[in-house]
Amino acid sequence: SKPLVAIKLRCPEGKTISRRFYKTDHLYDLLNFVTSQGFPVERYKLLTAYPRRDVSLL
């Protein structure tokens, strides 16, 4: 079995979306998932918790 990474997304209205990705998945896969949840790319930022960093444009 492949190693997994658990991701939690906090939405503006306070809702949290959780999903697991394989450690070998790419940031592009996460961005596609967020877009599929109804959040257009222009309307969100993906930030790391610590150190705080914007990874939306990587």
Side-chain angles (χ1 to χ4, degrees), residues 17-37:
I17 301 171
S18 299
R19 176 144 189 253
R20 286 179 280 181
F21 291 87
Y22 291 116
K23 195 173 182 181
T24 56
D25 285 344
H26 298 275
L27 181 59
Y28 183 77
D29 298 316
L30 173 60
L31 296 175
N32 279 337
F33 172 71
V34 174
T35 302
S36 77
Q37 296 299 302

Side-chain angles (χ1 to χ4, degrees), residues 10-17 39:
R10 186 174 46 213
C11 302
E13 68 276 358
K15 176 181 160 187
T16 301
I17 301 171
F39 298 99

Side-chain angles (χ1 to χ4, degrees), residues 31 34-35 38-46 54 56-57:
L31 296 175
V34 174
T35 302
F39 298 99
V41 177
E42 318 73 51
R43 306 234 14 227
Y44 67 81
K45 287 184 181 182
L46 289 177
D54 185 351
S56 305
L57 303 175

